[in-house]
Amino acid sequence: MEEKTFTVSEINAYIGKKLKLDSKLKNICIKGEISNYKTYPSGHSYFTLKDEKSQIPGVMFKGMRDRFQKFVPENGMNVIVKGKIEVYARDGKYQLYATRIYEDGLGDLHIAFEQLKKRLEKEGLFKEDHKKAIPKYPERIGVVTARTGAAVRDIITTIKRRYPICKILVFSTLVQGDQAAPLIVRQIKNAENYDLDTLIVGRGGGSIEDLWPFNEEIVARAIYDCRIPVISAVGHQIDYTIADYVADKRAATPTAAGEIAVPELSALKDNVNQLNSRANNSIKDRITLNRTRLNNICGKNVMKNPESIYEIKSMSLDNLIDKLSFSSKSIVNENRNKLIRLESSAIFRNPESMHKFKRNRLDNIVNKLDFTAKNLINENKNRLFKIENSHVLKNPEMIIKPKEDRYMKNYNKLEVLNPFKTLKRGYAIAKTKDKVISSSKDVEVGDEVDIEFDDGTVNTKVI
């Protein structure tokens, strides 16, 4: 019996029909982490939904997305996708046709990314003041990436096209997988042994899982500690890794890293030519200007007739000589007149008269002083004689006796009023609470009373 043979299309169509007949797959909600999300120019969005053990491709057509989707899904989000599962007959693969996507939190990798980013930022690994400047005209550039792939080709091609005089050293490493991060760190440290001006670290695009080695802490710290200025070139323009934040410069793509690392030689040549042209024009302009100034100077009357300068200066000198001669004569005449006046003065002719005049004035002053001194002495002698012969000085008791009598009189008055004298006559003083009792109303039953006598105090109580 001959067995029936099917074409591939028939088998795919058969499996597709079976799936369509399964009611569970017609309207299903699947929970997972979204990855590789991308919207094409057609407006259709393609993605992968995965968990720890498995994954399923998915698509959301433009009509559904525009009609129902309220947010743009991002890679790493935990989502719930509602839709149906059918076979894509052309490729023979089943996939999820999404009608709605609901946000359900971030995936583990994105949570780890945010946690590490916050911690390193708090430590200061992203600070601008630590970032080194990228050299403008490098001679040697290192590239830490996979030896094969589009990234290294883009970097080398860009550098050679823009700045062919620069030497490139490739430090090959894995850029994906669990073993990639330690190898990247090893090659970054290895690059420091070479005389490099700039180091590019990166790879091409991919999912967050593919780019994860550049989110490892050991890679971030190796870039931070690197003595060479580092340009990160990881993934595409929309991809950001920890390496991008800690590097001295981030490039959106590997090609952009090559453009940042080196200048464009043709532009430099044009710039040098422009500078050379400007310098030549400036020199020519300066020569023309100085030639014009020289011609102007040569055309002046002074240059044509230099004796005119001497003639003017000679006239000024003659004027100064005349002024000096007149001034010196005036000074000589003035001093001569002063000398004549001094020689003709009476003091100069008869100096003894000046001496005699001063001597007379001195004698007058001496006489006045002598007279004043004698008067003061006589006056004080008279005052002393009066004091010595005064009645009070000879009889001092006359002053003391009245004062003594007055004192005794006041003392006797005080003695009469002395309360202690009253106590000696048999009287007593009653006190309560340190206050003198002057009336029976001042005390109450139970009060303690101190009775003070001449020879002591007795404490008693009112009953």
Side-chain angles (χ1 to χ4, degrees), residues 269-460:
K269 290 180 178 179
D270 292 340
N271 191 32
V272 170
N273 291 333
Q274 290 179 6
L275 292 174
N276 184 50
S277 176
R278 289 171 59 185
N280 289 333
N281 292 334
S282 179
I283 292 171
K284 290 178 181 179
D285 292 341
R286 183 59 61 88
I287 291 173
T288 301
L289 176 62
N290 288 329
R291 182 179 289 113
T292 301
R293 292 177 63 186
L294 179 61
N295 292 335
N296 291 336
I297 293 171
C298 292
K300 289 184 176 181
N301 185 49
V302 174
M303 297 301 296
K304 294 179 179 179
N305 185 20
E307 294 83 1
S308 60
I309 299 176
Y310 168 75
E311 291 173 354
I312 295 172
K313 298 298 182 183
S314 178
M315 291 174 62
S316 298
L317 180 60
D318 291 340
N319 290 331
L320 290 174
I321 290 172
D322 290 340
K323 289 181 180 180
L324 181 61
S325 176
F326 177 77
S327 298
S328 60
K329 288 179 180 179
S330 298
I331 292 171
V332 169
N333 290 333
E334 184 178 353
N335 287 318
R336 183 181 290 114
N337 293 332
K338 285 182 178 181
L339 181 60
I340 291 172
R341 286 196 298 271
L342 289 172
E343 289 176 346
S344 61
S345 65
I347 295 173
F348 188 78
R349 291 180 179 181
N350 188 14
E352 292 82 4
S353 63
M354 176 62 72
H355 172 70
K356 187 176 180 180
F357 175 75
K358 296 293 184 181
R359 182 65 187 178
N360 290 334
R361 288 188 64 187
L362 180 60
D363 291 341
N364 290 332
I365 293 172
V366 171
N367 291 333
K368 287 181 179 179
L369 288 174
D370 184 51
F371 176 77
T372 303
K374 288 179 179 179
N375 287 338
L376 288 173
I377 292 171
N378 291 331
E379 184 179 347
N380 286 308
K381 281 182 177 180
N382 292 331
R383 289 179 65 190
L384 181 61
F385 177 78
K386 289 179 180 180
I387 293 170
E388 289 175 346
N389 294 295
S390 66
H391 184 69
V392 174
L393 189 62
K394 290 181 178 181
N395 299 295
E397 295 82 1
M398 294 180 64
I399 297 175
I400 297 173
K401 187 69 170 71
K403 300 291 184 181
E404 189 177 70
D405 293 342
R406 186 177 179 185
Y407 166 76
M408 290 305 298
K409 185 178 180 180
N410 290 330
Y411 176 79
N412 292 329
K413 289 180 178 179
L414 289 173
E415 279 295 308
V416 173
L417 298 175
N418 189 349
F420 295 105
K421 293 288 187 179
T422 306
L423 295 178
K424 286 183 179 181
R425 293 198 298 270
Y427 291 95
I429 299 174
K431 295 182 180 180
T432 179
K433 300 178 182 178
D434 294 331
K435 293 182 179 180
V436 176
I437 301 171
S438 60
S439 172
S440 61
K441 296 179 180 179
D442 293 339
V443 294
E444 296 177 355
V445 177
D447 287 348
E448 290 187 357
V449 177
D450 293 325
I451 301 174
E452 186 175 346
F453 298 94
D454 179 53
D455 57 352
T457 302
V458 174
N459 182 267
T460 184

Side-chain angles (χ1 to χ4, degrees), residues 247-260:
D248 299 299
K249 191 75 176 179
R250 177 196 179 252
T253 62
T255 300
E259 294 174 348
I260 293 172

Side-chain angles (χ1 to χ4, degrees), residues 13 18 58 76 80 107 109 128 172 184 207 213 218 239 262 277 282 405 418 422 448:
K18 288 290 185 182
I80 298 174
L109 291 182
E128 289 295 327
S172 180
I184 293 170
S207 66
I218 58 172
D239 298 321
V262 296
S277 176
S282 179
D405 293 342
N418 189 349
T422 306
E448 290 187 357

Side-chain angles (χ1 to χ4, degrees), residues 5 14 27 34 104 117 140 151 202 231 248 279 282 293 300 360 388 410 433 462:
T5 304
Y14 178 80
N27 187 14
I34 200 164
D104 193 37
K117 178 185 173 185
R140 293 161 63 87
I231 300 174
D248 299 299
S282 179
R293 292 177 63 186
K300 289 184 176 181
N360 290 334
E388 289 175 346
N410 290 330
K433 300 178 182 178
V462 178

